Amino acid sequence: MKIVASLVSLALILPATLPIAAVAAETVGTASSTSFAQELLDAHNVYRKRAGVPPLVWSNTLERSARTWAERLTANVAFEHDTANRDQGENLWMGTDGAFSLTEMVGDWASERQYFRSGTFPVVSTTGNWSDVGHYTQMVWRTTTRVGCAGLSGPDGNYRLVCRYTPPGNVMGQPVF
């Protein structure tokens, strides 16, 4: 019997007209306390370093926010962006449970770099479609400083990873770098 692993990912774009709310009492950690957080932070920062932008730091506040959404997606066996989320960037990933490492999940988002071209969002893709690079651009958005993620195994055999970012990237009319 051959098992085929599958994956799906989504990126969120925030309209430039939305105000970016400050996160009150933000808790920022070094991510050294858990291997989950450290692996995700390290994976993100590999691509940020390659892009020449400052590294992200782990946010426990964003992790809690991501966990709330991951729990909802898993409970509903769903895969969609949180449309009520207005002040955080969001990357979603879903694939066969146990078939991918956290580094591979982030690497899937980063693979969109092959279609990236420097410019003002949303004109940042060689394909003409910003969604072909939306995960990558959120990960390397220069003004984004914090990340927090959560992932859960679902009853459908899929693992859902949610990463949240502040300040959010993919802002209309703004440069990625």
Side-chain angles (χ1 to χ4, degrees):
M1 174 171 50
K2 182 177 180 182
I3 297 175
V4 177
S6 63
L7 63 91
V8 180
S9 52
L10 293 172
L12 176 68
I13 183 171
L14 295 172
T17 57
L18 289 178
I20 298 174
V23 178
E26 174 71 74
T27 304
V28 177
T30 62
S32 60
S33 59
T34 68
S35 60
F36 173 87
Q38 191 64 57
E39 183 175 348
L40 285 163
L41 185 61
D42 290 347
H44 276 82
N45 284 333
V46 162
Y47 299 105
R48 289 182 66 86
K49 184 176 182 177
R50 287 181 189 167
V53 296
L56 297 174
V57 295
W58 190 260
S59 165
N60 295 326
T61 301
L62 291 172
E63 178 183 7
R64 285 189 297 274
S65 177
R67 178 158 307 284
T68 298
W69 190 244
E71 288 170 350
R72 184 168 176 181
L73 291 175
T74 301
N76 294 324
V77 190
F79 189 67
E80 60 193 7
H81 281 291
D82 180 356
T83 57
N85 174 28
R86 298 273 187 235
D87 60 349
Q88 300 168 349
E90 179 177 80
N91 276 348
L92 303 179
W93 184 96
M94 182 174 70
T96 303
D97 191 17
F100 303 91
S101 71
L102 297 170
T103 299
E104 288 172 321
M105 294 174 200
V106 173
D108 181 51
W109 295 332
S111 70
E112 296 171 353
R113 180 178 177 266
Q114 67 185 312
Y115 304 114
F116 174 74
R117 70 172 184 180
S118 192
T120 301
F121 198 83
V123 185
V124 292
S125 174
T126 60
T127 67
N129 186 356
W130 72 266
S131 65
D132 291 338
V133 298
H135 301 100
Y136 173 72
T137 54
Q138 174 54 83
M139 287 175 36
V140 300
W141 199 265
R142 177 173 291 283
T143 60
T144 296
T145 58
R146 298 178 185 100
V147 64
C149 307
L152 294 170
S153 299
D156 58 351
N158 287 312
Y159 184 85
R160 290 165 178 81
L161 177 67
V162 177
C163 287
R164 295 280 176 94
Y165 306 84
T166 61
N170 294 348
V171 180
M172 291 290 202
Q174 298 295 315
V176 176
F177 303 125

